[in-house]
Amino acid sequence: MSVELNANNSVSMDVETILALKSANLAKSQTELEGQQALALIASTSVDNVSLPAVGNTGQNINIKV
């Protein structure tokens, strides 16, 4: 399918190619945004927020009944 514009010069553009390029450009933009969000999420984490192991034996007992 092609579109022809009649002016002084005849211009022919393949609509499928145009749509494919537009789709690829949108996918690239979306991928870049997702990458920026992932980097922001990684940067927002902090080593200070890591919980330390529990002191004592709380939660270390496992009751098994056979």
Side-chain angles (χ1 to χ4, degrees):
M1 176 194 282
S2 63
V3 175
E4 293 183 17
L5 303 173
N6 293 324
N8 291 339
N9 297 331
S10 179
V11 178
S12 176
M13 302 174 130
D14 186 14
V15 174
E16 291 178 10
T17 303
I18 293 171
L19 292 176
L21 290 172
K22 180 70 174 172
S23 178
N25 192 17
L26 289 172
K28 178 184 173 190
S29 297
Q30 180 66 28
T31 303
E32 288 174 352
L33 286 174
E34 289 174 359
Q36 290 173 358
Q37 289 174 344
L39 290 175
L41 181 62
I42 292 169
S44 70
T45 60
S46 174
V47 177
D48 296 336
N49 293 337
V50 176
S51 61
L52 298 174
V55 177
N57 63 358
T58 305
Q60 296 178 0
N61 294 334
I62 300 174
N63 296 327
I64 299 175
K65 294 182 182 181
V66 181

